[in-house]
Amino acid sequence: MSSQPRSLPKPDSCAIENAGDSSGARLHPAFRSVRVSGEFRHPLHGGASGNFERTGVLGAGKSAQKSPRAGKVPVMPVAASPGSSGKRDGVGHDRAGSHSKAVNALRRGAPSQGLRILLVEDSDGDADLCRAYLEEGFGSRAKIVRVTRLRDVQEALDQHDMDVVLLDLGLPDSMGVQSVVAVRRMAADVPIVVLTGNRDAQLGVQVIQEHAQDYCAKQDLNPALLTQSIRHAIERHRLQTQYARLLESSPDGIVVLDQDNKTLFANQTACEMLGLNPLRCVGTTLPMEFAAPKSDEIVLPNRQVAEIRSVPVDWNKSPSMLYSYRDITARKQAESRLQQMVQYDELTGLANRNFFFDCLGRLVGGIRREGGMLAMLFMDLDRFKYINDTMGHDAGDELLRQVGKRLSNSVRQGDLLARLGGDEFALILNHIAGPEQAAHVAQKLLQNLEKPLAVHGSKVSVGMSIGIATYPQCGNNVQDIYRAADTAMYRAKEQGKNQFQFFADHMQHRVEERIRIEQAVRRVAADDAFWLAYQPQVRARDGMPVGVEALLRWPDHAPPVFTPAEFIPVAEDIGLINGIGRNVLHSAATMAAQTGRLLGLPLRVAVNVSMRQLYAEHLYSEIETVLNATGLPPDRLEVELTESSVMGDPVRAQRTLAAIRTLGVSVAIDDFGTGYSSMNYLRRLPVDVLKIDRSFVAEIGRNPETEAILHSQVHLARALGLNVVAEGVETAEQWDFLVGAGCDCLQGYYVCRPDTQQRITDWLCGSGSRGS
């Protein structure tokens, strides 16, 4: 630029009221302002920016008034290069500087605490005119610092906190748009107003693209125009900074690319997600997997998953693409967990019931079309309910997990193993050569469970009953196959458990009968319709009654009538025996207390307790509660347990029975001799009475070996200090033998048949003689 003063028009020679005058200062179309009810509204934020009086539009020629291309969003970033002295929130934009107070003051029409202006102008004449215009527009509160060379700008910025830079494009050491680039690098936080003697509109667009805020031709300059340009520049810079902050604060990664996939902008989130260098990524090419992905979801370098969206934008008047990357890792993980829940068992990780039957249906359809054979193995753990009840549900869950692992190690990779629920597992063997192949797999499964499992520090042995059904031999559809395998499994349990059985037609009737009994038991238990029969026990030496045994019976009004041997095991299996047992205990104790008071004799009542009741934690408290509620003396109550139930867990049984005896209640072992009692364990158990099973009594007079066993049992009981009760006495011969063998008490049809409470009370009040 020439050092001679340039003649600038006088303030009153420029009219800015004409909105169509194209001779005004050039303003980037994206920052055009319009007068709406006397307020300046910026097209980005839509709100009033101040009560500015400017009614014209700088550079609002025909081409400048065109709206942005349809379908594109105008984006006005504020980019800063590395080395900028301003603080940065991210890549491609800068934080608002200290000129915010000046912005607020300018909205009120004039600065209140002074407007700090850096004037970069080498012409003394032009500088003097600018000073005069600024003083006229802002008064003495305009604080102006002038430098004449670009190289002096940094020093001035370091020494002074500026609100705006007025930049001449014709400096001795810098010319044109490069001056804007250089100043923007040095003054990232400060708005720039370009002053030039060139009215070229394209030059105005270029300086705006390089992040200047306004552009004024010196030929058109006057106090009002310069003042308004400074106001607009500060306001635009504020809005641009807010917009950049909006992009930076987005939880999504935001990247803007030009048509060559060069990075124009990337917020901090995008840099972290895509592994970009915040200081060097602008101008670099983004990898194609991020810029042109094959799907809407991409895997990020940190193994997270992002959802990608793109939209065309105008970035500094250049066609560009804005990409947003939303981290959906948590959502994908939730979807994966949901899928896992839908198809797989949470406890064992095996396929669940729904997934299993879906697969079985597809495989059955394939064999129906193409031929072949498949087998379904239905597996149910033996004694799992006992283990679950005695060791707790956590131990039961751990047992199921370990069983699932054992079974998984025993099947082929192409076979489908599932946990159907509870302790039930199932296996599909597809495309087998014949039933013998299924038998081989079943035998292998059983062998793999022979080794005890370590559960919570204890060694636990568990067996498994397996039912096998083949298609198409055992049915026409999935339900037929399932029912057949289920039926065969129950047959395996009936045959002694821990084995496998193939389905046969005659098994179906047994399954249907079991279902019928189960439904009936549930119905009768819900109605509390079970009743108690009582059978007297008499002293062997004189036939005097000493007690009764309470026996559970099916109600006569609910046909068909099932025997205790039929319905009690079912009640135990379906978990109803505890509730039924509580009712029995209370009713029997009430009967003994009432009848004892009526007869004036110490009548003892014996109550059968199931294995589930024995190992339940509340048996002791239930007995104590019943004694307190009925007033029955503790020595009048006897708890009967079968030999097999006690030997299920001898240590725990010993602890429970010892606690019960502290109440004063006696304990009897029922069906003695039919199980597998260890004499060593029997010696340790806190037991008072041994009951000889009716199966031994029935052979008296017919089998000398059985008679010898009976004598041995009585002698054993005597050695252990136990009383002996023989049940099932039906003849005089049996009575005489048992009296001679040394039994203490007798019970059976020869004494009295079981009957209702009233009839037994009448019997007790009557003769009480044997054989009546």
Side-chain angles (χ1 to χ4, degrees), residues 672-738:
F672 180 71
T674 62
Y676 47 89
S677 295
S678 164
M679 292 298 104
N680 188 41
Y681 274 124
L682 183 61
R683 178 177 59 84
R684 297 178 183 178
L685 287 175
V687 175
D688 303 286
V689 179
L690 285 185
K691 293 192 71 175
I692 297 175
D693 186 67
R694 65 180 65 249
S695 62
F696 293 98
V697 175
E699 295 191 10
I700 292 175
R702 295 181 295 175
N703 190 332
E705 293 180 355
T706 300
E707 293 177 354
I709 293 174
L710 284 170
H711 279 287
S712 299
Q713 289 178 340
V714 174
H715 288 310
L716 174 63
R718 288 281 179 265
L720 295 175
L722 306 178
N723 292 326
V724 180
V725 177
E727 59 182 356
V729 180
E730 298 183 356
T731 67
E733 182 182 9
Q734 294 169 352
W735 176 289
D736 293 337
F737 177 87
L738 293 169

Side-chain angles (χ1 to χ4, degrees), residues 67 82 146 171 204 234 269 286 352 464 655 682 711 725:
S67 58
R146 179 194 171 197
L171 298 174
I234 293 175
T269 303
L286 195 68
N352 64 13
M464 187 167 60
R655 185 167 59 250
L682 183 61
H711 279 287
V725 177

Side-chain angles (χ1 to χ4, degrees), residues 81 83-86 150-155 157-158 179-190:
S81 304
S84 165
S85 62
L150 184 67
R151 67 190 181 198
D152 299 326
V153 171
Q154 187 64 63
E155 182 179 357
L157 291 171
D158 292 340
S179 298
V180 180
V181 175
V183 173
R184 174 54 63 209
R185 185 180 298 114
M186 292 182 284
D189 291 346
V190 184

Side-chain angles (χ1 to χ4, degrees), residues 117-293:
I117 303 172
L118 176 61
L119 176 61
V120 187
E121 173 63 72
D122 67 320
S123 169
D124 294 336
D126 289 354
D128 291 341
L129 282 176
C130 285
R131 287 180 185 273
Y133 291 164
L134 292 172
E135 290 175 359
E136 182 175 340
F138 298 109
S140 61
R141 285 170 294 187
K143 309 299 182 182
I144 304 171
V145 175
R146 179 194 171 197
V147 297
T148 60
R149 283 175 169 73
L150 184 67
R151 67 190 181 198
D152 299 326
V153 171
Q154 187 64 63
E155 182 179 357
L157 291 171
D158 292 340
Q159 295 178 357
H160 305 280
D161 192 7
M162 296 300 173
D163 294 314
V164 66
V165 175
L166 301 182
L167 176 63
D168 180 22
L169 292 186
L171 298 174
D173 56 348
S174 179
M175 296 292 291
V177 177
Q178 290 304 314
S179 298
V180 180
V181 175
V183 173
R184 174 54 63 209
R185 185 180 298 114
M186 292 182 284
D189 291 346
V190 184
I192 301 173
V193 177
V194 171
L195 304 176
T196 179
N198 192 343
R199 281 184 174 146
D200 183 8
Q202 184 60 37
L203 178 61
V205 171
Q206 291 177 0
V207 299
I208 294 299
Q209 288 179 339
E210 294 300 334
H211 313 308
Q213 275 65 48
D214 209 344
Y215 165 79
C216 296
K218 291 182 178 181
Q219 296 91 328
D220 306 320
L221 205 60
N222 59 60
L225 180 60
L226 183 57
T227 301
Q228 195 73 327
S229 292
I230 291 174
R231 287 172 174 165
H232 288 177
I234 293 175
E235 179 67 10
R236 289 186 197 109
H237 186 270
R238 184 185 68 84
L239 294 174
Q240 291 166 356
T241 302
Q242 286 183 350
Y243 185 75
R245 280 180 173 176
L246 178 63
L247 293 180
E248 184 59 39
S249 64
S250 170
D252 297 339
I254 304 293
V255 174
V256 180
L257 303 178
D258 64 14
Q259 293 177 315
D260 297 324
N261 280 345
K262 299 290 186 182
T263 304
L264 301 175
F265 171 87
N267 68 358
Q268 187 66 29
T269 303
C271 292
E272 294 172 356
M273 294 175 71
L274 305 181
L276 304 178
N277 188 322
L279 300 178
R280 297 187 178 91
C281 67
V282 173
T284 62
T285 301
L286 195 68
M288 292 301 295
E289 60 265 27
F290 302 144

Side-chain angles (χ1 to χ4, degrees), residues 2 13 16 59 253 344 350 504 558 640 682:
S2 172
S13 64
I16 63 170
Y344 294 93
L350 302 176
E640 287 192 9
L682 183 61

Side-chain angles (χ1 to χ4, degrees), residues 340-385:
Q340 184 78 10
M341 292 172 60
V342 169
Q343 294 186 343
Y344 294 93
D345 174 54
E346 184 177 0
L347 182 64
T348 63
L350 302 176
N352 64 13
R353 187 182 191 91
N354 291 335
F355 189 37
F356 177 85
F357 283 108
D358 285 345
C359 291
L360 181 59
R362 290 194 296 270
L363 294 174
V364 166
I367 290 179
R368 186 182 296 122
R369 292 188 303 270
E370 302 171 7
M373 179 186 298
L374 66 77
M376 173 181 171
L377 279 66
F378 187 87
M379 298 166 277
D380 187 90
L381 299 184
D382 300 329
R383 298 179 66 247
F384 174 76
K385 289 183 175 62

Side-chain angles (χ1 to χ4, degrees), residues 321-527:
M321 291 294 294
L322 184 148
Y323 292 90
S324 68
Y325 303 87
R326 174 162 297 180
D327 188 347
I328 59 171
T329 305
R331 191 185 81 191
K332 299 299 289 185
Q333 290 173 345
E335 291 174 354
S336 177
R337 288 193 296 269
L338 181 60
Q339 184 74 5
Q340 184 78 10
M341 292 172 60
V342 169
Q343 294 186 343
Y344 294 93
D345 174 54
E346 184 177 0
L347 182 64
T348 63
L350 302 176
N352 64 13
R353 187 182 191 91
N354 291 335
F355 189 37
F356 177 85
F357 283 108
D358 285 345
C359 291
L360 181 59
R362 290 194 296 270
L363 294 174
V364 166
I367 290 179
R368 186 182 296 122
R369 292 188 303 270
E370 302 171 7
M373 179 186 298
L374 66 77
M376 173 181 171
L377 279 66
F378 187 87
M379 298 166 277
D380 187 90
L381 299 184
D382 300 329
R383 298 179 66 247
F384 174 76
K385 289 183 175 62
Y386 161 72
I387 295 171
N388 200 46
D389 291 343
T390 56
M391 299 185 65
H393 294 293
D394 290 343
D397 289 346
E398 177 61 24
L399 177 63
L400 291 173
R401 278 190 289 267
Q402 293 199 32
V403 168
K405 292 179 182 179
R406 290 270 186 100
L407 298 179
S408 297
N409 295 332
S410 306
V411 301
R412 301 175 304 180
Q413 187 173 3
D415 299 329
L416 179 63
L417 178 65
R419 176 177 174 238
L420 302 186
D423 61 340
E424 296 178 346
F425 295 82
L427 174 66
I428 300 175
L429 303 176
N430 194 26
H431 294 300
I432 60 174
E436 63 278 359
Q437 186 175 346
H440 175 75
V441 172
Q443 188 62 45
K444 184 178 179 182
L445 293 172
L446 294 173
Q447 290 174 352
N448 281 352
L449 283 183
E450 289 179 355
K451 185 179 179 181
L453 299 164
V455 178
H456 291 185
S458 300
K459 295 293 185 180
V460 178
S461 296
V462 61
M464 187 167 60
S465 299
I466 305 176
I468 305 175
T470 58
Y471 178 83
Q473 290 78 13
C474 297
N476 298 318
N477 51 50
V478 170
Q479 290 304 317
D480 288 347
I481 300 170
Y482 171 71
R483 282 194 296 267
D486 184 52
T487 300
M489 184 274 295
Y490 275 106
R491 177 62 175 170
K493 284 188 175 295
E494 292 173 356
Q495 292 298 309
K497 303 180 179 179
N498 201 36
Q499 60 179 275
F500 65 88
Q501 291 284 333
F502 280 90
F503 174 77
D505 291 336
H506 70 274
M507 297 180 185
Q508 188 62 33
H509 174 72
R510 301 175 66 89
V511 173
E512 292 173 355
E513 180 67 11
R514 160 79 185 206
I515 294 173
R516 189 166 66 98
I517 296 175
E518 180 178 322
Q519 292 173 343
V521 168
R522 292 185 185 277
R523 183 173 62 254
V524 172
D527 295 338

